[in-house]
Amino acid sequence: MAEETDPEEECHVPIALPSHVAGSGTLDRLVDTARNYARASASENTLRAYATDWAQFTRWCRLKGAEPLPPSPELIGLYLADLAAPRDSASGLSVSTIERRLSGLARGYAQRGLTLDRRNRHIATVLAGIRRKHARPPVRKEAILPEDILAMLATLPRDLRGLRDRAMLLLGYAGGLRRSEIVGLDRHKDDTPDSGGWVEIFDKGALLTLNAKTGWREVEVGRGSSEQTCPVHALEQWLHFARIDFGPIFVRTSRDGSRALEARLNDRHVARLVKDCVLRAGLRADLPEAERLALYSGHSLRAGLASSAEVDERHVQKHLGHASAEMTRRYQRRRDRFRVNLTKAAGL
């Protein structure tokens, strides 16, 4: 029976020379280059999630006395049904999680030179039934509004670490950035191999060039009406006092918070920062702490900008890098849903 796969090992793409081609220094280097490009086809978080999906499936197969290879649509249909079925007092996995697990299996088979036909009736009909019976409206994170971000900023310390976190919150909010886009920024173009973009600072604002989830895009972050709330001023203060003129912009600090280090922050720091500031600022204090923490995430910054910017929706869509206006509307928590009234327009 196939052994479970280590998620870390699964992140490595098995690209090699054809068996009938003799190796050489040049070809071996090209294999390494191709592997690096293949790894860059998805984020580390996505690759790690897919690896975990495969490991969980192989463990399920072992417990059921089944073989994960070759792909069996009948077996995978049973696996999906088991994921969705309630257990004791606990409900099954959400539809979105099950679909993600299925994508992970498809990638796992592809990595092994095999194809999983997701349209096979044993998979497609089971998944359609799961969607019909268990699908729920998406749970959206709470948007951080202007008064909320001000309260959160007030909780930060006045040391170097506080300057960094202030710049991250303000830039993430005003830029409508994903958390990976915040920590992926470098001071200049091509500073580091793992760069997710770079920053140029001008008199009127900052231009962020991002290698984002949907491709390259530019984000213009203008200066604010006050230095206390200006994301560009906060960024300048951090860069100056941290003495950062090359490489990653948002880096770790020494234990006492007085000195900037070289290591780039992980994107999970943004989520922790948002949650910590939410608690300290007392946002949604009417709820228990666990519910408050579940309501907010790094995405709350992005949703906050979309909900608060009183400009034409097309500008918000471009700023966030959305392909459609409908996606932008999903982020707008307090837009006027009935601004366009087709009932009256139809004469009623």
Side-chain angles (χ1 to χ4, degrees), residues 37 184-200 209-211 216 245-249 264:
Y37 280 128
L185 287 169
D186 277 2
R187 186 65 189 89
H188 308 98
K189 181 181 179 182
D190 299 329
D191 274 359
T192 63
D194 63 338
S195 170
W198 66 93
V199 177
E200 298 171 85
T209 304
L210 304 172
N211 186 6
W216 285 99
D245 55 12
F246 182 86
I249 285 180
R264 187 190 302 276

Side-chain angles (χ1 to χ4, degrees), residues 337-348:
R337 295 179 179 275
F338 303 102
R339 182 173 59 86
V340 177
N341 190 327
L342 294 182
T343 306
K344 290 182 178 179
L348 299 178

Side-chain angles (χ1 to χ4, degrees), residues 111-129:
Q111 294 293 88
R112 291 158 178 80
L114 301 168
T115 300
L116 175 63
D117 182 8
R118 299 172 60 169
R119 293 174 296 180
N120 182 284
R121 63 186 178 88
H122 294 285
I123 297 175
T125 55
V126 171
L127 187 58

Side-chain angles (χ1 to χ4, degrees), residues 13 35-43 46-47 107:
V13 182
R35 285 174 178 167
N36 289 334
Y37 280 128
R39 291 189 193 104
S41 65
S43 71
T46 300
L47 293 176
R107 182 181 177 90

Side-chain angles (χ1 to χ4, degrees), residues 132-185:
R132 184 177 180 84
K133 188 170 182 178
H134 298 297
R136 298 288 185 274
V139 177
R140 301 188 301 177
K141 295 298 182 181
E142 192 86 357
I144 292 174
L145 302 177
E147 57 271 22
D148 299 331
I149 195 74
L150 294 179
M152 292 166 65
L153 293 173
T155 69
L156 296 174
R158 295 293 180 177
D159 59 5
L160 190 63
R161 185 178 297 153
L163 283 179
R164 180 199 66 192
D165 290 346
R166 183 183 189 86
M168 293 180 71
L169 287 176
L170 282 171
L171 195 65
Y173 186 83
L177 305 180
R178 301 175 178 90
R179 64 187 197 184
S180 59
E181 294 171 346
I182 297 172
V183 299
L185 287 169

Side-chain angles (χ1 to χ4, degrees), residues 151-152 155-157 165 273 275-283 292:
M152 292 166 65
T155 69
L156 296 174
D165 290 346
L273 174 62
K275 290 176 182 291
D276 288 347
C277 288
V278 161
L279 289 181
R280 291 199 299 266
L283 304 188
R292 294 164 66 195

